[in-house]
Amino acid sequence: MKQQNPDYREQIAHGDSLLPVSYYCCHIPGKFRTVPLHWHEEVEFTYIEAGSAQYTIDFETFPAETGDLLLLSPQALHGVQQRQGETMTSHTLVFHLNFLGCLIPDICTVKYLNPILSGKCHLIPVVKPGHPGYEEMKGWFLEACQVFHEKGEAYELRTRACLTELLAAAYLNGCVETTERNTSSLYAEEKLKELLTYIQAHYSDPISIRELAEVCHFSETYLMRFFRRYTGVTCVEFINHYRLSRAAAALEETNLPIMNVALENGFRNVSYFDRLFQKQFGRTPGAYRKESRQSP
């Protein structure tokens, strides 16, 4: 089974043990302009309703545009960033394959679910309009979102049925492929995981390019080139994105003064923190806190 570093695993719980499904409607820029690289054990399906954003999925960076369906396999390393001057509205369902019966050792589990869960097969990350099966998969996805969001009678069964049909359509239309990974990509993934883990562990402290280079035994020049190639952003940009995401969570979840939030999340200059926060979230830290507590 493909293994990602546990220190960079997303900490949000998607549903619960009985119903491991969550629905999200995302607006960029809304409360945020970027989602830092992360991974989780669940499958993630997303439909881009309007606009576009820059996605990074397992080292490939590309624009996701209106109408695209994104199919993310378990443990896929992924993140989202606003494209300059662009907005995006998307709908996402995150669910564990256990919801489709992966714990039951039958032919469906052995033939279709386990290969994806174990990493032997993977979902192709982007299905664009015109791709074989696109309209069918889009239809099942939107119906699943509506059913799950409205939570009417027997919505759990209906949601499972929609997602099962969607996955079947993915298999029937060439959207599930055997995973083949060369030595070079495995090496790059391992080095990137080391870097992300180090940043996650030390984001509240000053982090230099020299430190990061030493983590991977790279030169500073190669480190900066490597990081940009596989994440789509510079080291400094990524560290700031990560710190800001943690600061945003602290603003929502605690009553710490804004100065303390900045200091505890790696910003020694509060004015610099305010400037970066407004650039990423489109509002001041104080306005973000107030708005987040007024929103459901």
Side-chain angles (χ1 to χ4, degrees):
M1 180 176 181
K2 176 184 174 183
Q3 295 293 322
Q4 296 283 18
N5 196 298
D7 290 331
Y8 225 74
R9 179 179 176 180
E10 185 180 52
Q11 298 303 311
I12 296 173
H14 300 289
D16 55 40
S17 58
L18 289 178
L19 187 61
V21 187
S22 288
Y23 162 78
Y24 304 97
C25 182
C26 172
H27 302 281
I28 294 180
K31 283 188 177 180
F32 56 88
R33 295 172 183 266
T34 184
V35 178
L37 285 171
H38 64 284
W39 65 275
H40 43 68
E41 293 182 349
E42 294 84 1
V43 170
E44 181 173 321
F45 291 162
T46 293
Y47 172 68
I48 309 299
E49 180 180 75
S52 69
Q54 179 172 289
Y55 270 75
T56 299
I57 303 176
D58 281 340
F59 308 127
E60 181 182 359
T61 299
F62 55 87
E65 301 169 319
T66 302
D68 287 354
L69 274 172
L70 306 181
L71 311 179
L72 274 63
S73 301
Q75 299 199 32
L77 194 64
H78 59 286
V80 190
Q81 185 176 4
Q82 182 187 23
R83 299 178 73 194
Q84 186 172 7
E86 296 283 341
T87 63
M88 185 196 74
T89 299
S90 64
H91 302 275
T92 296
L93 282 171
V94 183
F95 65 96
H96 200 286
L97 286 173
N98 289 346
F99 181 58
L100 303 190
C102 204
L103 294 176
I104 303 171
D106 61 13
I107 187 62
C108 292
T109 297
V110 172
K111 194 171 182 180
Y112 303 108
L113 301 182
N114 269 347
I116 294 175
L117 186 62
S118 67
K120 293 179 180 178
C121 291
H122 67 275
L123 297 156
I124 66 170
V126 186
V127 182
K128 288 187 171 291
H131 190 285
Y134 168 83
E135 291 297 338
E136 182 182 1
M137 287 186 282
K138 173 187 169 183
W140 286 120
F141 175 79
L142 293 179
E143 184 173 347
C145 288
Q146 181 177 354
V147 166
F148 186 80
H149 183 59
E150 293 178 352
K151 293 182 168 49
E153 188 173 355
Y155 79 94
E156 301 94 337
L157 279 173
R158 294 174 63 202
T159 302
R160 177 186 289 177
C162 290
L163 293 175
T164 300
E165 290 283 5
L166 196 163
L167 191 59
Y171 267 102
L172 289 170
N173 290 282
C175 295
V176 182
E177 300 177 337
T178 301
T179 300
E180 295 181 3
R181 310 180 71 199
N182 58 38
T183 302
S184 177
S185 65
L186 288 171
Y187 173 79
E189 179 177 344
E190 185 60 34
K191 291 299 181 182
L192 183 59
K193 286 189 292 186
E194 290 178 11
L195 290 167
L196 298 182
T197 298
Y198 187 87
I199 292 170
Q200 191 271 345
H202 300 278
Y203 72 94
S204 60
D205 303 316
I207 300 176
S208 67
I209 298 299
R210 181 179 179 181
E211 282 180 71
L212 292 176
E214 289 175 351
V215 169
C216 293
H217 306 290
F218 290 164
S219 70
E220 294 180 33
T221 301
Y222 183 75
L223 178 278
M224 291 187 288
R225 189 166 63 245
F226 172 89
F227 199 94
R228 180 74 185 233
R229 175 184 176 185
Y230 288 107
T231 68
V233 295
T234 67
C235 297
V236 173
E237 287 172 334
F238 183 87
I239 292 169
N240 282 335
H241 286 327
Y242 187 79
R243 286 171 171 164
L244 289 168
S245 69
R246 298 298 296 251
L251 289 169
E252 291 190 49
E253 298 165 5
T254 75
N255 293 315
L256 286 172
I258 290 173
M259 178 180 291
N260 292 59
V261 170
L263 293 173
E264 291 187 8
N265 287 281
F267 294 99
R268 300 295 178 261
N269 185 310
V270 179
S271 296
Y272 181 61
F273 167 69
D274 286 342
R275 188 165 63 253
L276 287 182
F277 195 96
Q278 288 191 63
K279 182 178 179 181
Q280 179 156 323
F281 294 95
R283 51 186 60 73
T284 65
Y288 180 94
R289 169 176 273 170
K290 182 179 179 180
E291 183 178 323
S292 67
R293 296 186 179 186
Q294 292 174 341
S295 303

